[in-house]
Amino acid sequence: MAGTKKCIVTGGAGFIGSNLVDALVDQGHTVTVLDNFSTGRPENLSHHLKNPILSLIEADISNISDIEEYFKGVDWVFHLAALADIVPSIVHPMQYHLSNVDGTIAVLEASRKAEVKRFVYAASSSCYGLPDVFPTPETAPIRPMYPYALTKNVGEQYVLHWNNLYNLPCVSLRLFNVYGPRARTTGTYGAVFGVFLAQKLAGKPYTVVGDGNQTRDFTYVTDVADAFIKAAESEISGEIFNVGSGGTYSINELVGHLGGPVDYIPKRPGEPDCTFADISKITKQLGWTPQITFPKGVEQMLRHIDDWRDAPLWERQSIAEATKDWFKYLGKEQ
Ligand code: UDP
């Protein structure tokens, strides 16, 4: 097909990665997924497995010799492979460095040697820490509060360095609270949607943090996938763009959409009362605008609620246990 590209998606078996793969495949691009399946799941791509334009490779990005061969002749690299979640990053900072920093350098080097045409990096809005300005622009101060935020931001600095020094055309997208189908259903405590949907299925109360008036810029995953593709198609490089929904929504509002009882649990230290992206830069420069409103996105999640049938069920006590180190290291009164 004319105009189709040869792509690599690292972390393509994960939540955001697999939704990006769907969008690329839909547009006729050829995709190689590199994933070590540490949190990504082959099932996220099972609907493509008979499609010859997708190759799914089990490989660890932090080892360049394992991945280099796949970059030959590639046009676009989307680098999403990373360890996510706050608490495990506090407990295992070196693992996060290895995946998110060393892994990023390896993917950059493989891309540079293969002379790929575009490199798009999944950065995190957690770099803003507790922002002073809302909506928050890309120029806001960088204040990582825990190793996940730090390592994703250091990765971004490497990406921009490879752009500036080696002329590898790179773009970094700072993603705000991405949600949607295939949001992780297993493993550690995190991501409010998975927690609440499992609670809804079990008929248990939603564990709302603090008073629930804190707001998040919940951004729907298909909009995020579209932002990645727009960034690859563009000729702009060396730039950072926020990717947000254009709004910010309280946890109480989310509960209102889901319906059901609430159990209020303690406010978590070091967490922002609001996240809200200023998306004027990406709108202007990449011509990207989010399409899925919050009520529409929540409706889609409810339509897929059965996907959370096997998700861990969190409640007050297990959350207190799981977030012990969070309170220990980010708490003020020590
Ligand atoms: N949250 C909540 N109950 C939970 C988990 C999260 O009320 O069991 C809230 C949390 O306080 C935050 C929002 O949901 O305001 C999003 O949390 P998440 O961990 O998904 O993302 P974060 O923005 O903290 O990275």
Side-chain angles (χ1 to χ4, degrees), residues 177 189 191-192 195-196 207-209 214 216 251 268 271 319:
N177 290 81
Y189 176 64
V192 64
V195 173
F196 282 8
T207 50
V208 170
V209 167
Q214 72 273 30
R216 289 293 179 272
I251 302 309
R268 313 188 292 206
E271 105 165 350
I319 292 173

Side-chain angles (χ1 to χ4, degrees), residues 63-77:
N63 198 349
I64 188 165
S65 57
D66 286 358
I67 59 169
E68 244 173 346
E69 63 186 286
Y70 302 107
F71 286 71
K72 286 193 195 94
V74 164
D75 301 298
W76 293 349
V77 171

Side-chain angles (χ1 to χ4, degrees), residues 140-300:
I142 298 302
R143 296 171 180 151
M145 306 286 287
Y146 35 80
Y148 167 70
L150 176 66
T151 55
K152 288 301 286 186
N153 185 253
V154 173
E156 180 184 81
Q157 292 181 45
Y158 271 99
V159 168
L160 295 173
H161 200 75
W162 258 243
N163 181 94
N164 298 345
L165 182 64
Y166 300 115
N167 291 324
L168 179 71
C170 297
V171 168
S172 179
L173 302 179
R174 290 183 180 161
L175 311 180
F176 281 69
N177 290 81
V178 185
Y179 73 108
R182 302 190 210 127
R184 198 164 43 75
T185 57
T186 52
T188 42
Y189 176 64
V192 64
F193 265 95
V195 173
F196 282 8
L197 290 177
Q199 290 166 341
K200 183 176 174 69
L201 280 169
K204 299 286 185 196
Y206 304 117
T207 50
V208 170
V209 167
D211 61 8
N213 287 326
Q214 72 273 30
T215 65
R216 289 293 179 272
D217 190 337
F218 290 114
T219 310
Y220 199 68
V221 70
T222 52
D223 282 331
V224 173
D226 182 41
F228 274 92
I229 295 176
K230 287 248 169 24
E233 285 168 344
S234 162
E235 304 217 316
I236 292 171
S237 61
E239 294 292 338
I240 296 165
F241 296 101
N242 284 340
V243 179
S245 68
T248 186
Y249 315 91
S250 76
I251 302 309
N252 291 331
E253 205 174 328
L254 170 58
V255 166
H257 286 299
L258 298 175
V262 167
D263 184 13
Y264 291 95
I265 62 172
K267 187 169 161 47
R268 313 188 292 206
E271 105 165 350
D273 290 333
C274 173
T275 68
F276 184 13
D278 182 336
I279 55 170
S280 49
K281 182 174 174 184
I282 188 167
T283 301
K284 203 178 298 162
Q285 296 194 21
L286 298 186
W288 173 87
T289 47
Q291 303 297 313
I292 308 291
T293 62
F294 187 55
K296 180 101 203 275
V298 177
E299 191 189 305
Q300 294 288 342

Side-chain angles (χ1 to χ4, degrees), residues 59-175:
D60 198 321
I61 51 146
S62 48
N63 198 349
I64 188 165
S65 57
D66 286 358
I67 59 169
E68 244 173 346
E69 63 186 286
Y70 302 107
F71 286 71
K72 286 193 195 94
V74 164
D75 301 298
W76 293 349
V77 171
F78 299 94
H79 177 38
L80 291 88
L83 285 177
D85 294 318
I86 299 169
V87 179
S89 84
I90 296 170
V91 182
H92 304 293
M94 287 185 69
Q95 285 177 16
Y96 275 70
H97 184 91
L98 182 64
S99 289
N100 299 358
V101 180
D102 293 349
T104 296
I105 305 171
V107 178
L108 282 166
E109 273 299 82
S111 301
R112 175 171 79 89
K113 289 182 187 163
E115 298 180 358
V116 309
K117 300 194 181 66
R118 303 286 297 168
F119 184 104
V120 188
Y121 176 67
S124 167
S125 60
S126 60
C127 65
Y128 299 123
L130 307 178
D132 309 313
V133 177
F134 301 102
T136 308
E138 290 84 353
T139 49
I142 298 302
R143 296 171 180 151
M145 306 286 287
Y146 35 80
Y148 167 70
L150 176 66
T151 55
K152 288 301 286 186
N153 185 253
V154 173
E156 180 184 81
Q157 292 181 45
Y158 271 99
V159 168
L160 295 173
H161 200 75
W162 258 243
N163 181 94
N164 298 345
L165 182 64
Y166 300 115
N167 291 324
L168 179 71
C170 297
V171 168
S172 179
L173 302 179
R174 290 183 180 161
L175 311 180

